[in-house]
Amino acid sequence: MRGIQGVVQLSLLVGAWGWEYRTKRNPAIPLDVVDKLQDETMPKVQAWLDKQHKAGKAKNCTLESAAIRQEWSDMSVEARQEYVRAVLCLQKKPPRAPKDKIPGSLNRFDDFVATHMTQAGELHGPTNLFAAHRYFIYVYEKALREECGYTGYQPYMNYDRYVADPFSSLLFDGSPASMSGNGELAPYNGIPQPFPRPYDRIPPDQGGGCVTTGPFKDMVVSLGPKGSVVKNIPANPQRDGLGSNPRCLRRDVNRFSVAGARANYTHHLITQHKDVDSFYNRYLGQPQLKNDPNPWGVHNAGHYLIGGDPGGDFYCSPGDPLFYFHHGMLDRVWWIWQMQDPEKRINAVPGQTMPGGHNHGRKRQTTKPKNVLDTIIDLGWTAGPLRLEEMNDQLGGYGGEMCYIYV
C-alpha cells in the first residue's frame, strides 16, 4: 500500500498468535469502538485462517497477502485521486449490458446500476442480501482494477466519521481528492421509513439538488428513476427505468440519517445480536428501537447519508459512486460479526428460521435449493453464477480468489 501523508504507522500486535500486522491510519481521527473491536478480533481471524489452511482450504490467503480495503480518510491524496480516476474511467468504457434490454446503460459504470435494478430480488432477499452484495462489490472492484488500471482496493466509509460535519470531511469536501460534495439546496419531503410518526421519515438536510463541486460535478446519471425520494426528477422514458434519462448527480448528504449509524449502533449490532436472524433484522432497523431518535437501522442510516438521485433510489442507488463505500462498510460490519465466532457464523444465512422476516420490501425468490448454501447468485452480464457459500467467506471464497480484509 502507498504511504499516507501525515499518517503514522501503527503496529497491531497479536500476542500469542505470533504475528505482527502493520497498517496505517490517520492519526487525526481517533479510533471508535468498532475500530477497536476489529483490532481485538484479529487473533480470531488468524486462528480461522490457520484452521482453513490445515483443512487444505484458502491456501493462498494469509493476513500478509490479503488485499486491504481502507477507510477513505485514511488513504493518501494520491491514492484517493487514483481511485477517482478509475471510477471516471469506468464511466467512459463502453457498456456490456445488452442494448435491447438496457438501452439506458451508457457505459460500464451504468452496467452495475442496471444489474442492481434488474436483480433487486436476487440481491435483497434475506438469504442473499449479505453475500450477494459482497459479490457485487467485489466484481465492481475487479472492474476498476482490471479495466481501468486501479492498483488499490475498494474503499469504505466509516459512518461515524461523517456524523458531526460530513461537509468538510475528506469524503465530501468537494476537492479533487474527494468523492464530490453535497448537492445544492432543493427542498423535498424527506425519506419515508416503516415506522409510526414521528419516525415515519428521515428529515431532509441541506442538499437534494445537483452536485456542483469535485470530480463528479459533471457526471451524467442515465438510468432511473424508479423509486426516487427527491423532487423534480424527469421521468424515465421506460416504465422499468432502464431507458436513457440523462440528468445531473443529485445528493443530500444527510446528518439526520447518518446519526443512526454512529459507532455505538454498529458496535451494539455486532456484539449484542448473536444469531444471524437477529443480526439481520437489527441491521435493517427491525423491530423499531423504542424511544430512540434515530431508529433507522445501520443499513438505512448509512444508505441515506448519500440520499438524492440516484443515491436515495432503492433500485438505482449504485448510480452514485458512493454506494460502493456504503456497502463496503456494511460488508465490513458483517465480516467483523462473522469473525466473532467464525465456526458458527461464516455460513450462517438469514431467513431460514424467521417466519416472514424482513425482506427490504421486495419479493422473495420463489425456488430454494435443499441446502441454502447451494443458492445460486447470478449477476448476469456483471458476473456469472456462483453458489452463495462461495461469498460467505471473504478469506478464501470465490474459488480461492477472494482474499481481503478491512483496516
Side-chain angles (χ1 to χ4, degrees):
M1 300 301 290
R2 297 188 178 190
I4 299 179
Q5 294 178 356
V7 178
V8 297
Q9 180 167 289
L10 304 175
S11 294
L12 180 61
L13 300 175
V14 192
W17 296 98
W19 60 271
E20 179 181 295
Y21 189 78
R22 298 186 183 277
T23 186
K24 294 176 180 178
R25 285 176 170 144
N26 190 332
I29 302 175
L31 298 185
D32 63 39
V33 290
V34 178
D35 296 329
K36 293 175 183 178
L37 176 62
Q38 178 181 315
D39 288 354
E40 294 164 1
T41 301
M42 294 308 293
K44 296 179 182 179
V45 177
Q46 180 66 71
W48 173 250
L49 272 173
D50 289 344
K51 182 170 183 178
Q52 294 296 89
H53 295 160
K54 289 178 181 178
K57 302 176 181 178
K59 294 180 180 179
N60 297 320
C61 185
T62 68
L63 287 177
E64 290 74 25
S65 66
I68 297 174
R69 291 183 177 177
Q70 291 182 284
E71 212 286 332
W72 182 254
S73 52
D74 289 337
M75 295 167 63
S76 70
V77 171
E78 293 82 5
R80 286 184 272 126
Q81 289 178 325
E82 185 195 7
Y83 179 82
V84 166
R85 287 194 299 270
V87 176
L88 293 172
C89 162
L90 208 62
Q91 292 178 352
K92 296 175 182 176
K93 294 280 184 180
R96 296 181 184 175
K99 201 67 179 177
D100 59 329
K101 296 180 180 179
I102 320 289
S105 184
L106 305 183
N107 50 61
R108 283 289 287 134
F109 182 86
D110 285 348
D111 283 351
F112 288 87
V113 184
T115 297
H116 196 267
M117 294 176 70
T118 57
Q119 302 288 336
E122 185 101 0
L123 285 163
H124 294 94
T127 297
N128 290 9
L129 179 63
F130 299 145
H133 278 84
R134 177 170 285 174
Y135 190 21
F136 189 65
I137 301 299
Y138 186 71
V139 294
Y140 178 77
E141 177 185 79
K142 279 172 63 71
L144 293 175
R145 288 173 56 81
E146 296 176 3
E147 299 175 39
C148 288
Y150 179 51
T151 61
Y153 298 92
Q154 176 58 44
Y156 70 96
M157 58 162 73
N158 181 344
Y159 307 130
D160 197 72
R161 298 185 179 190
Y162 307 103
V163 172
D165 182 14
F167 311 113
S168 61
S169 70
L170 296 175
L171 190 62
F172 292 112
D173 66 7
S175 70
S178 75
M179 292 300 293
S180 279
N182 198 13
E184 295 180 313
L185 179 62
Y188 67 105
N189 296 326
I191 304 134
Q193 294 295 293
F195 305 121
R197 294 182 179 179
Y199 306 113
D200 57 331
R201 64 183 57 244
I202 300 172
D205 208 321
Q206 298 177 358
C210 295
V211 170
T212 60
T213 60
F216 300 99
K217 63 182 177 62
D218 298 319
M219 177 179 161
V220 175
V221 176
S222 177
L223 293 160
K226 196 173 179 182
S228 183
V229 297
V230 293
K231 295 181 178 180
N232 302 318
I233 306 298
N236 194 280
Q238 296 187 189
R239 291 185 63 184
D240 58 10
L242 298 175
S244 182
N245 185 26
R247 59 199 188 276
C248 70
L249 173 65
R250 297 175 59 156
R251 276 188 190 151
D252 184 27
V253 176
N254 195 311
R255 293 165 295 180
F256 301 107
S257 183
V258 76
R262 293 192 305 267
N264 61 303
Y265 288 101
T266 304
H267 187 269
H268 187 273
L269 169 66
I270 295 169
T271 61
Q272 301 303 310
H273 298 274
K274 309 295 185 182
D275 69 274
V276 72
D277 287 342
S278 172
F279 176 79
Y280 171 87
N281 286 332
R282 175 52 37 221
Y283 168 98
L284 293 179
Q286 300 292 342
Q288 180 185 354
L289 293 173
K290 300 299 182 182
N291 302 315
D292 190 292
N294 310 293
W296 328 122
V298 170
H299 175 275
N300 282 9
H303 195 299
Y304 294 111
L305 167 61
I306 51 170
D309 173 58
D313 186 317
F314 170 84
Y315 296 94
C316 311
S317 51
D320 188 320
L322 280 170
F323 169 92
Y324 300 95
F325 290 60
H326 161 55
H327 269 283
M329 176 61 175
L330 293 176
D331 186 60
R332 176 193 182 222
V333 170
W334 180 36
W335 175 61
I336 298 172
W337 180 85
Q338 287 181 307
M339 287 294 109
Q340 301 311 299
D341 189 357
E343 292 280 356
K344 295 180 179 179
R345 297 185 183 183
I346 285 292
N347 285 322
V349 178
Q352 306 311 297
T353 60
M354 53 183 179
H358 298 281
N359 193 40
H360 245 218
R362 313 299 154 189
K363 293 182 179 180
R364 293 180 182 274
Q365 291 178 296
T366 56
T367 60
K368 293 183 178 180
K370 291 182 179 180
N371 185 341
V372 69
L373 297 177
D374 291 329
T375 301
I376 298 298
I377 301 171
D378 188 347
L379 300 183
W381 56 83
T382 298
L386 198 69
R387 291 175 61 249
L388 183 144
E389 185 177 18
E390 285 295 312
M391 287 294 104
N392 278 351
D393 193 350
Q394 67 189 51
L395 296 169
Y398 202 8
E401 177 183 321
M402 183 178 287
C403 180
Y404 67 90
I405 63 173
Y406 289 94
V407 173

